[in-house]
Amino acid sequence: MRILVLGFTGYLGGHVVEHLRALPGARVFGGGRSPAAELDIDLATARTDGLAKTLASAAPDAVINCAGSTDGDAVTLAEVNSRGPAVLCAALREAAPSARLVQLGSAAEYGPGTPDTRVTEASATRPVTPYGATKLAGTVTVTASGLDAVVLRVGNPVGPGAPPTGLPGRIAGLLRAAGPDPDAVIRLGDLSAYRDFVDVRDVARAAVLAATSPGPLPHVLNIGSGRAVPVRELVGTLARTAGFRGRIEEDGGGSARSGAVSWQCSDIAAAGDSLDWRPSYALEESLAALWAATPLRPEGGRAP
């Protein structure tokens, strides 16, 4: 089976490739802007005709699109999260119309949740940030494309390799920098929100199952833990895992991207029914793996 992974050097894409390479008979292609990419593909700028020629040369049986942007202004987000899936779908219709497309979406597409309520794939989508809105636009394009396609709406991924642009990776970096100093103080924004954290390795396994599952799949599947966890609990658990002896203070601020959503939790029953997928890592295991993979910081310097 020939499988193309776009965004293969990213946090999610790297784990997807790792899982795919353990799959018997799989021929994995990496697509992106990295010098290591077998296929030079930039979805933010690609033209349909050129991308179609590239896809035709690879002749994929499945494409997993892990390319996306969580940071930047609205234009940057739209170029990657909205335009990217649109040009990909157009090129696939021309070059590989029978290929299975797996698009990694985001639970941010749902917007604010209702406390003690899990959102299903049929729930209303009300994103409140440019990130959520651009990811939703990508989802609409994929689900309306007429292709054999499924969007995996991923909760908050956590685990080894988490980037410093996300909360778990950022906290791990701050804890590593603080070290064992009992006088260390880490100042954070408001940690009262609830999030559905899911191990990145479980996300990768879901993507592989979606790419290789026989027969049609639902257009959208939630991928999460099915459990809402206070962000404060995640920070506290990670601090204990790190052996942090200092003090954590909340200043009441926080990112605009997450501040408007105080509760987020996904119903993951459909993924269990369609893919026989369920999360296999507890949050404590994910945080232990994240901490173990967090680079040591040289004295007075930055992580390499």
Side-chain angles (χ1 to χ4, degrees), residues 17-87:
V17 168
E18 184 177 342
H19 276 66
L20 283 172
R21 286 185 172 151
L23 196 66
R27 170 70 169 93
V28 183
F29 298 85
R33 295 175 296 175
S34 165
E38 294 178 72
L39 300 176
D40 183 10
I41 297 174
D42 181 358
L43 293 181
T45 61
R47 294 178 60 88
T48 300
D49 53 353
L51 181 55
K53 291 178 182 177
T54 301
L55 293 176
S57 69
D61 299 299
V63 177
I64 304 177
N65 184 21
C66 304
S69 179
T70 59
D71 294 311
D73 58 25
V75 173
T76 301
L77 292 169
E79 287 173 343
V80 181
N81 299 337
S82 304
R83 182 192 188 278
V87 72

Side-chain angles (χ1 to χ4, degrees), residues 139-157:
T139 289
V140 171
T141 297
V142 169
T143 57
S145 67
L147 296 167
D148 178 9
V150 58
V151 176
L152 304 183
R153 276 197 179 130
V154 179
N156 286 60

